[in-house]
Amino acid sequence: MCDVLHSVRDMRKTPLSLSVLVAGGALVAAAVPAQAAGAWFAPYVGTTIDNGIGPGPAPRGSTVADFNSDGRPDIVTITDFTQGDILLVTGDGDGTFTPAGEIAGTAGTQGLDAGDINGDGKADVVAMSTNTLKVAYGDGAGHFTAGPSYPLTLGGQVEPRLLDLDGDGDLDVASMTFTAINTLINNGSGTFVAGPTTQLNGTCAVSAISPARLNNDTKADLFAVDGCSGSVFALKSTGGGAFSVTGTLYLSGLVPEDIAAIDLNGDGYDDMATIGSFSFTLTTAFTNGQGAFTSTVGTTQFGGAGPTSLTAADFDQDGRKDLAVSWLFSGAPGVTVLAGDGTVKLKKVADFPVGSFPQNPMVADYDLDGQPDIVTAGPGSLSFLRNTTP
């Protein structure tokens, strides 16, 4: 399995424009109504990509890294609602992108992540289907070579996350089954061995996980949310891929679908935010620096019209983490941005329209101006929201 996986695709790119709409969809982005004065993002700009009907509803159907070593953020995204191979689109440095090829042999991918697995300084990709995790090693020039495949147990949703579980400096893998957390442990050269499985009692469909910092050791911890019971679990790493459940929190939101780690109060430890896709809720809670929640029930506020996923970042660079929440319903799909203010609740900044069916917001400095921007992937396009905070 050492075939080169890069194959050139359609090199179409949408030009940067906010005022023209070309008939037939040649240009996805058009001018949208300006946001209120002081809003944090400019109207979106779209790039047409050939991803069929889009990445589908995975917690992480797309992710960002510099795959061709040019200093510009690139994106890999699932295509054809998991039926096509993963598509690489390279960043142009101005918020637009160029489709640059597929990672062959990755059809069926339902969740992915990116990072330097083998320690060569180049971004790699892990792609998970319903029962297998595949590794694609990046060469730093936008090409990939197939690595090993590993069997994994089916879960309620499919989400591999790269994180250092044992504190040895390389990236391991955590994913979820219906009722547990599975792990693969990196042997130091970019291949994995099966790690421990941690059962989460009382769950029936774990729907999302998020790497977190729950205490002051060097091992990555996790948050996990169960879509059936509406419960969130704080999981403190005990080393080697095992976890201890140090906190459980009941959420009032119906069918929580995604979860993010976010330091809400600036104490250096991650707190929790999760969204309920059917209850239109955002729920947050503090942790105590020792892996436990400070309350038994989360604090709930409106989370947008059909929220699907969320990402934490300091968008206004005031030292406090904020949230970007993508949503599907209402008059137009969009991203809601909420500002952290040191409390358990976040303050809504604005709703920002984007292209259809936006999935997980991907945060990076796409236009190289030093500020974190947002890109979402949907059917046929990427939507770029340029950060305009002063």
Side-chain angles (χ1 to χ4, degrees):
M1 298 188 64
C2 296
D3 296 332
V4 175
L5 300 180
H6 179 68
S7 60
V8 177
R9 295 198 55 166
D10 185 358
M11 301 295 285
R12 293 172 299 167
K13 181 188 72 175
T14 299
L16 182 63
S17 172
L18 295 177
S19 60
V20 180
L21 181 63
V22 178
L27 180 59
V28 173
V32 295
Q35 301 297 324
W40 290 13
F41 292 90
Y44 84 92
V45 175
T47 295
T48 299
I49 60 172
D50 185 12
N51 68 344
I53 55 176
R60 284 171 67 85
S62 310
T63 197
V64 58
D66 182 5
F67 293 103
N68 60 1
S69 307
D70 65 354
R72 302 168 180 173
D74 310 311
I75 287 171
V76 286
T77 184
I78 296 169
T79 65
D80 292 323
F81 218 79
T82 77
Q83 299 306 300
D85 289 328
I86 294 171
L87 175 66
L88 168 67
V89 283
T90 55
D92 299 327
D94 60 2
T96 62
F97 300 87
T98 299
E102 291 183 336
I103 304 178
T106 56
T109 298
Q110 297 196 5
L112 51 75
D113 206 355
D116 181 9
I117 297 170
N118 55 2
D120 64 355
K122 300 161 186 174
D124 311 304
V125 173
V126 291
M128 188 176 170
S129 66
T130 55
N131 57 11
T132 302
L133 181 130
K134 297 179 180 180
V135 176
Y137 297 116
D139 68 353
H143 308 89
F144 297 89
T145 301
S149 297
Y150 303 91
L152 286 173
T153 304
L154 174 66
Q157 289 201 103
V158 177
E159 183 181 15
R161 298 303 298 263
L162 288 168
L163 66 174
D164 184 3
L165 293 171
D166 49 12
D168 64 356
D170 53 35
L171 294 174
D172 311 301
V173 177
S175 64
M176 62 269 193
T177 72
F178 281 100
T179 62
I181 304 299
N182 275 343
T183 59
L184 293 170
I185 304 303
N186 196 325
N187 66 7
S189 63
T191 58
F192 300 93
V193 296
T197 294
T198 302
Q199 292 291 328
L200 304 181
N201 294 332
T203 59
C204 68
V206 179
S207 54
I209 56 177
S210 174
R213 183 175 188 263
L214 298 179
N215 61 358
N216 61 2
D217 66 20
T218 60
K219 300 182 288 291
D221 309 307
L222 280 180
F223 288 125
V225 60
D226 178 38
C228 291
S229 66
S231 296
V232 167
F233 299 85
L235 303 169
K236 191 163 64 174
S237 179
T238 60
F243 296 93
S244 174
V245 178
T246 52
T248 304
L249 184 76
Y250 177 73
L251 302 177
S252 58
L254 179 65
V255 192
E257 189 167 343
D258 198 14
I259 190 166
I262 176 172
D263 184 0
L264 291 168
N265 57 5
D267 65 356
Y269 302 106
D270 283 323
D271 307 303
M272 181 281 305
T274 191
I275 49 170
S277 295
F278 292 90
S279 54
F280 296 2
T281 51
L282 166 67
T283 302
T284 52
F286 287 142
T287 62
N288 64 2
Q290 299 177 2
F293 295 108
T294 61
S295 61
T296 57
V297 178
T299 299
T300 299
Q301 61 190 100
F302 179 70
T308 59
S309 52
L310 71 172
T311 303
D314 184 4
F315 293 115
D316 60 348
Q317 301 183 68
D318 66 349
R320 301 188 185 108
K321 288 293 183 72
D322 314 302
L323 274 181
V325 181
S326 60
W327 41 269
L328 301 181
F329 303 140
S330 189
V335 173
T336 297
V337 176
L338 302 105
D341 64 358
T343 70
V344 73
K345 277 198 171 185
L346 297 99
K347 295 185 177 180
K348 182 175 177 178
V349 174
D351 296 327
F352 299 91
V354 296
S356 62
F357 296 101
Q359 299 303 318
N360 57 294
M362 296 170 283
V363 175
D365 181 11
Y366 293 99
D367 59 359
L368 308 180
D369 67 351
Q371 298 195 94
D373 311 302
I374 298 171
V375 167
T376 60
S381 70
L382 298 175
S383 296
F384 165 66
L385 289 171
R386 179 173 62 88
N387 190 327
T388 58
T389 57

